[in-house]
Amino acid sequence: MLEAVELTKHFKQTKAVDRVNLYLEQGEIVGLLGPNGAGKSTTISMISTLIPPTSGDVRFHNESIIKEPAKLRNVLGIVPQEIALYSDLSAKENLRFFGRIHRLSGAELNKKVDEVLALIGLTDRQNDLVKHFSGGMKRRLNIGAALLHEPKLLIMDEPTVGIDPQSRNYILETVKRLNQEKQMTVLYTSHYMEEVEFLCDRIYIMDKGCIIASGTKDEIKNILSSEHTVEVKVEKVSESFLHALRSQPVIHHITVQERTITVLSPKEINVFRLLFQLAEKTNTVFTSVEIKTPTLEDVFLHLTGRALRD
Amino acid sequence: MIGTFVKKQLLLFVRNRHELLILLGMPFVLITILGFALGNIMDGNDGQPAVHAKIAFVNEGDEQQDIQKFTHEVEAMRMPENEKQLLIEAARSLSPITVLKQDVFGAKPLKKYIRIVDVPPAQLNKALQDDEYTAIVRLPDEFTYQMLKHLFFQQKQPTNLFFYVNEEKAWTSEIVGQIISEFQQHYSLVSALGKAGVKEFAIPDIHVNGKIETITKKEPIRAVTYYMIGMGVMFALYVASNVGSYAFEEKQSHVFDRMLLANVSKWSYMTGIFISAMLLSFLQLMILYGATSIIYGITWPDVAAFLLVTAALSFAVGGLAVLLTSLNFRTNSEQASRFFQTVLVTMFSLVGGSFFPAGQLSNFINTLGAFTPNGASMSAYLKLLQGYHLADVAYSIVYLCIFSAATMVLSVWAFPKRGNEA
């Protein structure tokens, strides 16, 4: 359905996106996972025809849309990371405005507005000004504004940033429902790996402007098939213990979060024995040690040496 | 589509109390404060405002030749030689034109405030069109000769001098008018012949006649009226910067991206901006002028012309709003709107005369002010209030339309192409 070929974008001296290749098939949800500044937003801005690429191409049904963006735009809905709404207008007035710019009018416009309000759960608050909404409600309306013209392809740029877990779940369920009930194709960018894991059939992992891994969830996690992810909880994190860990060549990656230390090491190594030896040497007390099933976060850590939310 | 943009903009404007306060409340307060605070000075009731008048003298004849002609006629008359000499001396001393120029306007106390410019008769019409002059004194051919003949021999009708007043310079023209009136009233043969040393001559009781013609024959502008116009045209400019800022917010919040993805053309968007700003400005001026006119009892003699000038100013404001939007988009910042709001509006208002009749300070400022949209419209409004007709302000209306078209052309040029923003 949609394909990005060697997509590259330079901003003066900075290479924001470097030869990105990705594709979307009809009816699937594809995740674009990466930390802040990875180039996800620039990539989707190019895919959605908002900015032209420095080089490369975007093809929609095998036709380039760089010079003829209208064909894609007609079937595209975009949910920007920012709240792209008028805060001094009510939810209904916003939806009516965005419906009208999509050439909806009369009874059709009224019907679509009512449907979308019901879908995003804002029917009761339709006449309230957006500036009085909670963050979650604004996010839901932000999505609703992209759905009025029933797009075939929905591009969502971090649609759950800064909201409560309840609203987040509501949004994720809504996206899933749109995909299942209306066969809407979704490109979903996030730096929350659990969202991408929950929603997406296929995933692209991006860092520093490049795609560093892609495939289904299982394919990506298999990258770590040769490694253990061990999570150690300690009474107190000591510099001597961390130093001892870092000096071991078989310990590939170390992350520290409060009193939890996560390490990656090859499966053939008896990492437990090594950890306990180092703890004894540095007088470190463990409160628990656990081998974890690898997550996308672990894959990202493995590939980049950094956590997704660093 | 454009109607959707306009409706949205009106809703946003109406719901923003801060904007309403600035664009409607503030000018009303300023009109009241400035109108009353400066009313005494501007209305000429009190105070000593600085006067700088430039008076054109258009002498269609020649005073010396007139005196010569009169002298020759006296010499040819049958009368005693000593009487002839007295008459000739009196005539030479009388020289009304020289006295008016040198002894009245050229007198020491007035000299630093009044500048006399001799204008050839062929350039009278040009001088009448020139707002630089506070007043024009026209002396017809054989003015001195006819006056002498009338004074001494009652042979001619009393001659007229013509005095044209520029009521746009209400303070100074009024003062100059008073001086001329004083001159008429006091420049009698008594003082003239007294000055000439003629005591025993039979003195006819005749004054120099003067005919004062004002260009409009209307009352001068009151301070509160002046500031109603001044503040109205100034705050209309703020509509342009506000609409430009709103547009930039649309870009910042990615609402504009939604429009692009809905295949809204930049022409539709810019037309929406233009019409919104034009409509907002028109409504603002109507509300402001309407309320002020009711409260302070100001009436517009030609309502149709007033509406046309208001529409032309709103047209210019629409053009400015589109230009500021383009510049904001191009620089990817709100700087253009902010610079316009904080620096340019103040400068435009200063040279355009919103705070005081700055055009009287110098010709340069006067010309500069006429090129600002607020200055051009202010001049048109003041003329209408003085009783001018639509034809007299047509130049301003055309200029405002050209200004608007020019800003629109510039904004099309400045609007960034896709992906070329700063």
Side-chain angles (χ1 to χ4, degrees):
Chain A
M1 182 189 193
L2 190 82
E3 189 182 9
V5 184
E6 296 288 300
L7 212 51
T8 302
K9 184 70 185 179
H10 295 181
F11 291 112
K12 292 178 183 168
Q13 304 300 319
T14 315
K15 198 178 262 188
V17 175
D18 189 14
R19 288 177 294 156
V20 163
N21 291 285
L22 62 83
Y23 69 93
L24 282 91
E25 295 290 1
Q26 179 85 44
E28 66 176 349
I29 304 182
V30 174
L32 190 55
L33 183 68
N36 289 327
K40 303 188 298 291
S41 295
T42 307
T43 302
I44 62 165
S45 290
M46 286 189 284
I47 291 174
S48 59
T49 74
L50 284 170
I51 58 170
T54 307
S55 63
D57 199 4
V58 180
R59 294 174 171 275
F60 179 60
H61 292 306
N62 285 325
E63 278 183 53
S64 175
I65 46 93
I66 302 292
K67 287 186 180 158
E68 292 289 333
K71 279 183 185 170
L72 176 63
R73 287 177 178 182
N74 288 334
V75 294
L76 179 68
I78 189 151
V79 181
Q81 195 172 344
E82 297 75 15
I83 303 294
L85 301 166
Y86 294 106
S87 58
D88 280 323
L89 298 187
S90 69
K92 191 174 183 176
E93 285 165 345
N94 265 286
L95 292 179
R96 287 185 68 81
F97 173 78
F98 290 115
R100 280 186 187 280
I101 65 170
H102 279 286
R103 282 98 184 153
L104 297 173
S105 60
E108 190 191 9
L109 175 66
N110 293 337
K111 185 173 162 251
K112 290 288 174 206
V113 168
D114 289 342
E115 274 177 19
V116 168
L117 282 167
L119 180 75
I120 59 177
L122 289 176
T123 305
D124 295 343
R125 303 289 302 271
Q126 61 180 292
N127 293 319
D128 292 358
L129 298 186
V130 170
K131 65 182 174 189
H132 298 138
F133 280 6
S134 68
M137 289 160 78
K138 285 179 188 170
R139 287 273 165 207
R140 274 142 63 190
L141 187 61
N142 207 30
I143 294 169
L147 301 175
L148 288 153
H149 60 298
E150 294 194 345
K152 301 250 181 304
L153 170 62
L154 185 65
I155 295 181
M156 308 180 87
D157 188 6
E158 311 232 11
T160 58
V161 170
I163 56 170
D164 58 283
Q166 215 177 347
S167 293
R168 193 173 169 192
N169 289 338
Y170 191 99
I171 288 171
L172 294 176
E173 291 296 342
T174 306
V175 175
K176 200 111 193 168
R177 201 145 36 106
L178 285 168
N179 173 252
Q180 286 166 355
E181 291 173 9
K182 305 202 173 197
Q183 284 73 53
M184 201 178 277
T185 309
V186 180
L187 176 60
Y188 190 96
T189 82
S190 179
H191 61 267
Y192 296 118
M193 61 96 191
E194 58 274 21
E195 288 183 2
V196 174
E197 277 198 278
F198 171 75
L199 280 176
C200 303
D201 308 307
R202 285 191 305 113
I203 298 157
Y204 290 89
I205 299 182
M206 237 184 136
D207 188 44
K208 295 179 181 170
C210 300
I211 300 284
I212 55 171
S214 65
T216 62
K217 276 177 274 189
D218 290 339
E219 281 169 353
I220 287 180
K221 284 178 186 174
N222 274 342
I223 294 171
L224 292 183
S225 59
S226 59
E227 288 189 332
H228 277 310
T229 303
V230 182
E231 193 178 89
V232 181
K233 288 194 170 143
V234 294
E235 265 190 3
K236 189 184 173 190
V237 177
S238 71
E239 269 308 309
S240 56
F241 180 63
L242 291 175
H243 181 73
L245 280 174
R246 284 184 194 120
S247 63
Q248 297 299 316
V250 292
I251 303 291
H252 289 163
H253 297 292
I254 305 161
T255 54
V256 183
Q257 209 167 19
E258 294 180 351
R259 285 185 295 167
T260 304
I261 300 166
T262 308
V263 297
L264 299 182
S265 71
K267 279 186 176 167
E268 60 270 22
I269 299 294
N270 188 342
V271 71
F272 283 102
R273 194 194 310 163
L274 179 65
L275 287 171
F276 281 107
Q277 279 173 356
L278 294 176
E280 198 175 335
K281 274 187 193 170
T282 57
N283 291 325
T284 302
V285 180
F286 291 169
T287 55
S288 75
V289 179
E290 185 189 352
I291 290 188
K292 284 177 62 189
T293 310
T295 63
L296 293 173
E297 183 93 40
D298 300 326
V299 175
F300 189 81
L301 183 69
H302 168 78
L303 293 170
T304 66
R306 290 177 291 117
L308 263 170
R309 281 166 240 178
D310 273 354
Chain B
M1 181 70 70
I2 290 162
T4 305
F5 288 130
V6 174
K7 186 183 170 189
K8 174 261 302 174
Q9 197 66 55
L10 287 175
L11 273 173
L12 291 174
F13 180 78
V14 167
R15 293 205 178 135
N16 192 327
R17 285 180 196 166
H18 178 70
E19 298 292 336
L20 281 176
L21 195 69
I22 288 179
L23 296 178
L24 287 173
M26 190 89 113
F28 191 77
V29 170
L30 284 172
I31 290 164
T32 308
I33 292 172
L34 292 170
F36 283 103
L38 302 181
N40 283 340
I41 295 172
M42 284 195 76
D43 298 342
N45 300 330
D46 198 0
Q48 299 283 323
V51 176
H52 294 279
K54 188 175 170 185
I55 300 170
F57 259 78
V58 183
N59 192 354
E60 293 172 345
D62 184 321
E63 189 178 44
Q64 287 311 310
Q65 274 183 13
D66 285 355
I67 292 170
Q68 283 285 324
K69 189 177 175 186
F70 180 77
T71 304
H72 289 319
E73 283 185 15
V74 169
E75 281 170 347
M77 284 178 178
R78 288 180 187 175
M79 63 167 72
E81 202 58 35
N82 65 331
E83 275 188 31
K84 281 185 188 177
Q85 284 311 311
L86 273 174
L87 269 174
I88 291 167
E89 275 178 41
R92 282 179 183 156
S93 303
L94 198 61
S95 307
I97 298 172
T98 308
V99 169
L100 183 61
K101 281 169 76 175
Q102 292 179 0
D103 295 347
V104 179
F105 289 124
K108 214 174 178 182
L110 286 179
K111 206 171 181 177
K112 57 184 171 181
Y113 301 113
I114 291 175
R115 191 174 143 220
I116 302 287
V117 178
D118 285 311
V119 172
Q123 290 182 18
L124 173 64
N125 283 336
K126 198 178 164 194
L128 284 169
Q129 302 295 322
D130 192 343
D131 278 348
E132 250 180 63
Y133 294 111
T134 307
I136 295 166
V137 178
R138 180 165 73 86
L139 302 146
D141 191 23
E142 294 197 327
F143 171 78
T144 306
Y145 171 72
Q146 287 183 24
M147 191 195 77
L148 293 174
K149 290 283 278 185
H150 180 71
L151 284 176
F152 296 111
F153 305 119
Q154 290 83 47
Q155 285 184 359
K156 296 270 181 186
Q157 287 297 311
T159 187
N160 290 327
L161 69 82
F162 296 89
F163 183 58
Y164 303 88
V165 176
N166 182 352
E167 287 203 346
E168 278 190 38
K169 302 191 184 223
W171 305 349
T172 43
S173 61
E174 193 178 330
I175 291 165
V176 174
Q178 279 173 3
I179 294 169
I180 290 279
S181 296
E182 292 285 312
F183 173 75
Q184 288 167 218
Q185 286 163 18
H186 299 293
Y187 193 77
S188 65
L189 273 179
V190 178
S191 60
L193 296 181
K195 198 175 173 182
V198 179
K199 306 286 183 201
E200 57 278 71
F201 194 81
I203 303 163
D205 185 19
I206 295 169
H207 294 267
V208 175
N209 282 315
K211 188 176 177 185
I212 296 180
E213 288 189 1
T214 67
I215 292 165
T216 64
K217 296 184 175 67
K218 298 288 178 189
E219 290 296 313
I221 297 292
R222 286 160 58 204
V224 74
T225 314
Y226 185 88
Y227 284 113
M228 173 184 80
I229 304 301
M231 293 299 110
V233 297
M234 178 170 100
F235 278 83
L237 297 180
Y238 285 119
V239 171
S241 63
N242 285 354
V243 172
S245 293
Y246 270 120
F248 184 67
E249 270 177 40
E250 284 175 337
K251 184 175 188 289
Q252 281 293 86
S253 66
H254 293 256
V255 167
F256 182 69
D257 286 348
R258 286 195 196 274
M259 294 179 196
L260 286 180
L261 293 174
N263 285 319
V264 171
S265 71
K266 79 172 179 185
W267 303 106
S268 299
Y269 182 69
M270 287 165 86
T271 309
I273 295 278
F274 174 77
I275 295 176
S276 300
M278 197 175 82
L279 204 60
L280 282 171
S281 164
F282 190 82
L283 288 173
Q284 177 206 29
L285 289 167
M286 294 306 289
I287 292 169
L288 197 63
Y289 289 157
T292 320
S293 296
I294 292 166
I295 293 168
Y296 296 112
I298 298 159
T299 50
W300 291 89
D302 187 341
V303 175
F306 158 74
L307 289 174
L308 268 175
V309 173
T310 307
L313 173 60
S314 305
F315 204 58
V317 169
L320 275 170
V322 181
L323 178 61
L324 292 173
T325 300
S326 287
L327 292 174
N328 285 339
F329 275 44
R330 192 179 185 86
T331 57
N332 202 23
S333 75
E334 218 181 322
Q335 278 176 358
S337 277
R338 288 201 181 138
F339 179 75
F340 180 78
Q341 192 167 19
T342 51
V343 179
L344 286 184
V345 171
T346 313
M347 282 171 62
F348 279 14
S349 303
L350 194 67
V351 298
S354 282
F355 300 123
F356 62 93
Q360 290 185 11
L361 292 180
S362 78
N363 292 338
F364 176 69
I365 291 177
N366 192 35
T367 310
L368 207 62
F371 280 111
T372 61
N374 53 306
S377 50
M378 188 166 178
S379 161
Y381 279 133
L382 289 174
K383 280 184 177 173
L384 290 177
L385 282 165
Q386 287 167 355
Y388 283 80
H389 299 291
L390 179 59
D392 301 312
V393 297
Y395 167 80
S396 299
I397 292 173
V398 171
Y399 172 72
L400 287 166
C401 294
I402 291 170
F403 180 90
S404 179
T407 51
M408 280 191 274
V409 169
L410 270 177
S411 56
V412 170
W413 169 79
F415 200 88
K417 306 287 175 289
R418 189 166 61 112
N420 284 356
E421 297 91 341

